[in-house]
Amino acid sequence: MENLPPNLRVLVICPDWQQPAGGVRKLYRHVDVLNASGIPAAIVHQQRGFRCSWFEHQTKIVYEPDVFPPRAGEILLVPENVAWQMMSLTRGVPKVIFNQNAYQTFANVTPEIEQLVAPYNHPDYLASIVVSEDSRAYLNYAFPEHPVYRVHNSVDPALFHCEAGKRPRIAMMARKKKDDAIQVINMLSLRRATTGFEIIAIANQSEANAAAMLRESMVFLSLSTYEGSPMPPMEALACGCVTVGYASSGGAEYVNEQTAFPVAAEDVVGFARRLETVLDQLRKDPQPLLEKARRASAFIHADYSPQREEQDILAAWGQILAPSPLNDRPRRAEREEIS
């Protein structure tokens, strides 16, 4: 990218989480895309020496004691759940919010809201980046004057792809809706509806191991609700899993009747009923459902490709940085042209 502001560097605030989390993975990915394009960037971890080890990467990492307070020319990219605290902790430092879950926008609210001051209408905050149209609509309604740019998440096609030889296995990632998963599985077990299917929970696995488990699994249970763009169902669809369950909010873009078997959020009985129907059909004649899953995989790889994600990230930062992040915010008409 040409004509960058002098001394520019994007410092991406990231929690010191070693457990697998899609949002953390996307922060690392963001840094990699920026550096590859010529925009200097780095992940900022708090504990010196910490780095995520559950996925392969060569991402540039720095540590909070070495980079705080930020120098002139540096911009902070902050997750939505710490944006409120950063108003007072880094006054005067330009910031962008990477809002990966609009439904966490008001988490960790600080007293400033009583004076109608939020990060999204604070002069230090230049813009937000979101990962779904649902999240863009949320922020545009709540903060109509705040610039918002949308990025399409992607999955790594080298890991998350469809393979032949699916096993009669039901896979899930129940980190956030474990109670719902327990209810659905126990209902169907007592009804003998899961007979012949192995049931596995994918937890605390490396990215490569999780992908391998999905590639082998015939069915995936989507348990994501009220999220910006949940990665587990996207990864499962990319792997050709027959996906049943919650569409989430932002996830409804790709968990829908054309690609999957969606269920209304928190409708546990509806979830069980739909899963029972799917399992019964897979026993009788699996090919129509497996073909639907293969089409869904192709859709994910076409519409949520790494190339599109890169283009979106660079288009957003091109608008944020032009001509100066400190003095000229993008006009609303300009930002709405970015898909």
Side-chain angles (χ1 to χ4, degrees), residues 306-339:
Q307 295 78 15
R308 187 176 193 181
E309 183 178 42
E310 292 168 10
Q311 292 168 1
D312 288 349
I313 290 171
L314 297 181
W317 280 98
Q319 291 290 314
I320 292 167
L321 296 174
S324 166
L326 298 179
N327 299 319
D328 190 359
R329 295 187 178 194
R331 294 186 300 274
R332 186 176 182 86
E334 292 174 340
R335 68 175 182 266
E336 291 186 339
E337 293 176 359
I338 298 177
S339 63

Side-chain angles (χ1 to χ4, degrees), residues 134-149:
D134 182 78
S135 289
R136 172 149 55 182
Y138 185 113
L139 292 189
N140 281 344
Y141 176 76
F143 310 103
E145 298 305 315
H146 180 69
V148 180
Y149 304 98

Side-chain angles (χ1 to χ4, degrees), residues 12-337:
V12 180
I13 306 301
C14 185
D16 293 2
W17 290 351
Q18 200 54 269
Q19 68 271 30
V24 169
R25 182 71 179 92
K26 285 303 172 186
L27 293 174
Y28 273 66
R29 166 80 170 145
H30 207 96
V31 167
D32 291 341
V33 170
L34 292 180
N35 279 321
S37 75
I39 300 176
I43 288 286
V44 180
H45 279 302
Q46 289 69 55
Q47 181 180 348
R48 200 184 305 277
F50 181 91
R51 64 175 51 237
C52 289
S53 60
W54 56 275
F55 57 91
E56 297 293 330
H57 66 88
Q58 298 295 323
T59 305
K60 173 68 175 176
I61 295 174
V62 296
Y63 298 98
E64 187 175 293
D66 301 325
V67 296
F68 272 66
R71 300 189 301 267
E74 293 180 326
I75 299 175
L76 298 181
L77 182 66
V78 302
E80 75 284 346
N81 59 351
V82 299
W84 295 83
Q85 297 96 313
M86 299 301 286
M87 276 196 296
S88 57
L89 293 175
T90 55
R91 292 189 184 278
V93 177
K95 291 175 278 288
V96 173
I97 301 170
F98 192 8
N99 190 314
Q100 297 193 67
N101 186 352
Y103 299 94
Q104 291 293 315
T105 295
F106 291 95
N108 304 316
V109 172
T110 59
E112 282 87 349
I113 198 169
E114 297 177 4
Q115 286 77 46
L116 300 180
V117 177
Y120 303 83
N121 56 27
H122 190 283
D124 288 347
Y125 286 80
L126 311 177
S128 287
I129 296 171
V130 298
V131 291
S132 67
E133 291 306 312
D134 182 78
S135 289
R136 172 149 55 182
Y138 185 113
L139 292 189
N140 281 344
Y141 176 76
F143 310 103
E145 298 305 315
H146 180 69
V148 180
Y149 304 98
R150 192 269 168 91
V151 168
H152 289 76
N153 279 341
S154 74
V155 296
D156 182 351
L159 293 175
F160 299 96
H161 56 265
C162 191
E163 291 182 351
K166 289 284 190 181
R167 297 169 58 177
R169 171 194 286 169
I170 302 168
M172 71 189 82
M173 298 181 187
R175 183 166 58 94
K176 294 185 178 180
K177 283 289 184 179
K178 183 178 180 180
D179 289 346
D180 288 23
I182 290 171
Q183 293 179 72
V184 169
I185 293 300
N186 281 316
M187 280 187 204
L188 295 189
S189 295
L190 290 170
R191 291 173 59 84
R192 305 292 191 267
T194 57
T195 301
F197 284 86
E198 176 191 9
I199 301 169
I200 64 167
I202 302 174
N204 299 318
Q205 297 290 328
S206 69
E207 184 178 42
N209 286 347
M213 296 166 80
L214 288 173
R215 292 196 302 270
E216 293 180 348
S217 298
M218 187 175 290
V219 179
F220 180 78
L221 305 188
S222 176
L223 295 157
S224 302
T225 60
Y226 298 107
E227 296 190 36
S229 180
M231 294 307 299
M234 182 184 288
E235 293 166 349
L237 289 167
C239 289
C241 298
V242 177
T243 299
V244 184
Y246 303 145
S248 177
S249 300
E253 291 182 5
Y254 44 87
V255 181
N256 52 53
E257 293 291 346
Q258 287 69 48
T259 61
F261 298 88
V263 179
E266 301 182 353
D267 180 3
V268 173
V269 173
F271 196 146
R273 289 182 186 277
R274 189 134 215 212
L275 178 57
E276 182 172 4
T277 300
V278 166
L279 296 179
D280 185 58
Q281 186 171 344
L282 285 170
R283 288 190 197 90
K284 293 175 181 177
D285 182 10
Q287 290 311 310
L289 298 192
L290 293 178
E291 179 56 34
K292 178 176 179 175
R294 285 190 285 269
R295 292 195 302 270
S297 174
F299 164 73
I300 292 295
H301 287 296
D303 276 40
Y304 297 87
S305 67
Q307 295 78 15
R308 187 176 193 181
E309 183 178 42
E310 292 168 10
Q311 292 168 1
D312 288 349
I313 290 171
L314 297 181
W317 280 98
Q319 291 290 314
I320 292 167
L321 296 174
S324 166
L326 298 179
N327 299 319
D328 190 359
R329 295 187 178 194
R331 294 186 300 274
R332 186 176 182 86
E334 292 174 340
R335 68 175 182 266
E336 291 186 339
E337 293 176 359

